[in-house]
Amino acid sequence: MTTIVPTSEEDPVLSVVTFVADLSWADAGPEVAEGHVSRLLVEAQECIIQKRWLDLASLILTSADVIFSKASEKDLECIYTVICHLVKKPESLDQVHEIAELIATKVTQQPNEKPGLRLKILFNLYNLLENPYSQFFVYMKALNLAVSGKVTEHVVPSFKKMDDFLSEWNLGTKDKRDLFLTVANVLKDSKSSAKESFDYLVKYLETFSGDDALALAEAKEEAVRAVVEFVKSPDMFQGDLLDIPAIAQLEKDGAYVPVYQILNIFLTQRLDAYLDFQSSNSDFFNSHGLVHEDCVAKMRLISLVDLGTHESGQIAYSLIKETLQIEDSEVEPWVVKAITAKLLDCRIDQINEVVIVNRCSKRVFGLHEWQSLRSKLAAWRGNIANVMSTIQANKIVEDGTQAVQGLTIR
């Protein structure tokens, strides 16, 4: 954050007013410029005396906006540092927010002109604010500027603090939606951040309740996007997407039924169901940019995991071959792929031609899976209690035996 250090008795605000007025009227000639500069300076002084900080910010910003393409980045940074410090002047938080909103809105009007500098100005402004909602407003402006100005790399590091931000800002549902969707959009063009982008998109969809049909309709396009991204991703195999109301609504919408159907296949069915769907919906794949060969590869891994879930710990090579629709020589390579993707924890018995499964990933972890886990934990807790009781009982018997032996010796 830039800090202002006055080097003379002159108010830095008036210095900035003079500088930007001189530069903005320079092309008009000294005779015309002098009058305008003097007028602006008098107006600025009146604003300071009357503590009309919002009017002062507006006055300076009007000229500063004009000279953005004329002044050096160093001069512009100093100018906007002075302007941003005006948020420290009012005592009213409402007035502070008005000034912050005015500055942020002005700074983001030309996102393609010096976008990096504009972001720096916004971050400087953010750090001067103490009101959480004003901070959130400026942060959102910064995110949108980063997208429009194609400088998203400057805002991505801040996402590591998102949990802290959410705690500090205490946002309502609508603001959370805007935030999560904007962050998802910031990340979506980066291949290395595809999973993170998807996670924020899901967070956005999860803010919609099944009770509000009108709001749900607003989320349809993003629900479709989430499904397509999940299906396309070569390394996403799990998700409770079917339980999210914003996605579940697609099942009953004629235009989006195929979207829901393919998600249901990828989360609950096997390769044969996918192939039947694909043969009847080839246009759907083209319109959503889905590559059939990639989908087949993913469904083979998913089908293999599903076999591990339902085949009581052992999967015969022949069943893998039949389910994945592959040749004998391909069975072991596909098992290795599933192990590499950490979908299966197993060992290959080549002599008996079976795969012995120790653990496999769940595609869906919904209510049934939670209930199953609860039952297993309860059983585990009971077993531990029985072991402890047995140890305690043996200890009592052992102590009694030692005591009797002691009496006998005497």
Side-chain angles (χ1 to χ4, degrees):
M1 182 176 72
T2 307
T3 303
I4 301 174
V5 182
T7 56
S8 70
E9 295 181 358
E10 186 176 14
D11 191 316
V13 174
L14 297 180
S15 298
V16 165
V17 171
T18 303
F19 180 84
V20 297
D22 281 336
L23 195 55
S24 59
W25 287 98
D27 295 339
E31 293 182 359
V32 176
E34 185 176 349
H36 286 288
V37 173
S38 298
R39 177 181 57 80
L40 290 172
L41 197 54
V42 169
E43 286 185 37
Q45 289 171 328
E46 290 176 353
C47 289
I48 293 173
I49 293 170
Q50 297 170 15
K51 296 185 177 180
R52 291 164 32 225
W53 307 116
L54 180 62
D55 291 339
L56 180 59
S58 180
L59 178 71
I60 308 174
L61 282 166
T62 300
S63 298
D65 193 46
V66 172
I67 67 162
F68 213 93
S69 59
K70 298 180 179 180
S72 68
E73 292 202 6
K74 184 177 180 180
D75 286 339
L76 286 170
E77 186 177 350
C78 291
I79 290 166
Y80 277 92
T81 296
V82 172
I83 298 172
C84 289
H85 269 77
L86 291 177
V87 298
K88 307 298 285 185
K89 299 290 188 180
E91 295 181 2
S92 165
L93 289 179
D94 288 340
Q95 290 183 28
V96 170
H97 183 77
E98 284 184 289
I99 296 173
E101 186 174 345
L102 177 66
I103 296 171
T105 302
K106 276 286 188 181
V107 168
T108 55
Q109 282 180 344
Q110 301 292 332
N112 296 315
E113 183 182 7
K114 300 186 174 83
L117 174 61
R118 292 178 186 271
L119 268 183
K120 192 173 184 178
I121 292 168
L122 289 176
F123 287 141
N124 182 26
L125 175 60
Y126 179 96
N127 289 326
L128 289 167
L129 295 168
E130 297 178 4
N131 179 18
Y133 191 76
S134 297
Q135 291 178 331
F136 168 69
F137 178 87
V138 172
Y139 186 75
M140 288 296 293
K141 285 288 188 179
L143 295 188
N144 287 308
L145 172 66
V147 173
S148 300
K150 296 180 173 54
V151 285
T152 55
E153 67 276 8
H154 294 302
V155 297
V156 170
S158 69
F159 298 161
K160 295 177 182 178
K161 300 180 181 179
M162 192 56 66
D163 289 340
D164 293 334
F165 290 155
L166 291 171
S167 176
E168 293 168 8
W169 295 338
N170 192 27
L171 302 176
T173 300
K174 185 180 183 307
D175 287 331
K176 283 183 179 178
R177 283 177 189 165
D178 291 343
L179 175 63
F180 292 149
L181 183 57
T182 302
V183 173
N185 289 336
V186 168
L187 294 168
K188 73 176 182 179
D189 293 329
S190 171
K191 290 184 179 180
S192 61
S193 302
K195 179 62 169 62
E196 194 176 359
S197 174
F198 176 80
D199 289 342
Y200 275 104
L201 185 58
V202 170
K203 287 182 180 181
Y204 162 78
L205 295 173
E206 287 175 339
T207 65
F208 291 88
S209 165
D211 298 332
D212 191 344
L214 186 62
L216 278 177
E218 172 191 330
K220 280 183 182 178
E221 292 300 325
E222 304 307 333
V224 172
R225 171 182 159 189
V227 172
V228 172
E229 287 187 10
F230 176 80
V231 172
K232 279 184 177 181
S233 173
D235 54 7
M236 282 195 284
F237 300 92
Q238 299 169 298
D240 298 331
L241 302 180
L242 293 171
D243 295 331
I244 298 175
I247 291 178
Q249 68 174 325
L250 303 178
E251 183 181 15
K252 299 177 182 179
D253 189 306
Y256 298 110
V257 169
V259 178
Y260 185 86
Q261 289 175 336
I262 194 170
L263 176 64
N264 187 58
I265 289 170
F266 271 75
L267 287 175
T268 66
Q269 300 181 53
R270 295 179 181 175
L271 179 62
D272 55 347
Y274 165 78
L275 293 174
D276 289 341
F277 175 85
Q278 192 274 337
S279 63
S280 304
N281 296 274
S282 57
D283 291 341
F284 169 82
F285 283 76
N286 294 331
S287 62
H288 289 90
L290 296 172
V291 180
H292 174 58
E293 291 75 13
D294 294 341
C295 290
V296 169
K298 184 169 180 175
M299 279 304 303
R300 280 178 172 153
L301 286 173
I302 288 172
S303 301
L304 182 53
V305 171
D306 197 58
L307 287 175
T309 304
H310 294 94
E311 294 302 319
S312 302
Q314 285 194 3
I315 318 172
Y317 277 29
S318 57
L319 183 57
I320 295 175
K321 175 187 174 183
E322 178 186 350
T323 304
L324 273 60
Q325 300 186 26
I326 54 177
E327 300 298 325
D328 290 334
S329 60
E330 297 178 278
V331 170
E332 290 181 10
W334 276 104
V335 174
V336 171
K337 287 179 182 179
I339 295 172
T340 303
K342 297 182 179 180
L343 297 173
L344 282 180
D345 176 10
C346 62
R347 59 188 178 87
I348 299 173
D349 184 343
Q350 293 178 315
I351 296 176
N352 295 308
E353 294 193 335
V354 294
V355 175
I356 302 170
V357 179
N358 300 318
R359 181 198 59 80
C360 59
S361 297
K362 299 282 187 182
R363 282 191 279 173
V364 176
F365 207 91
L367 180 60
H368 175 73
E369 286 71 29
W370 280 113
Q371 290 173 338
S372 176
L373 178 60
R374 182 179 181 180
S375 298
K376 290 178 181 178
L377 289 173
W380 176 79
R381 184 176 180 180
N383 291 337
I384 294 295
N386 290 335
V387 171
M388 295 297 293
S389 297
T390 301
I391 292 173
Q392 187 65 26
N394 289 338
K395 187 174 186 301
I396 292 172
V397 172
E398 183 180 343
D399 291 345
T401 302
Q402 289 176 352
V404 171
Q405 290 175 345
L407 291 172
T408 304
I409 292 171
R410 290 184 189 142

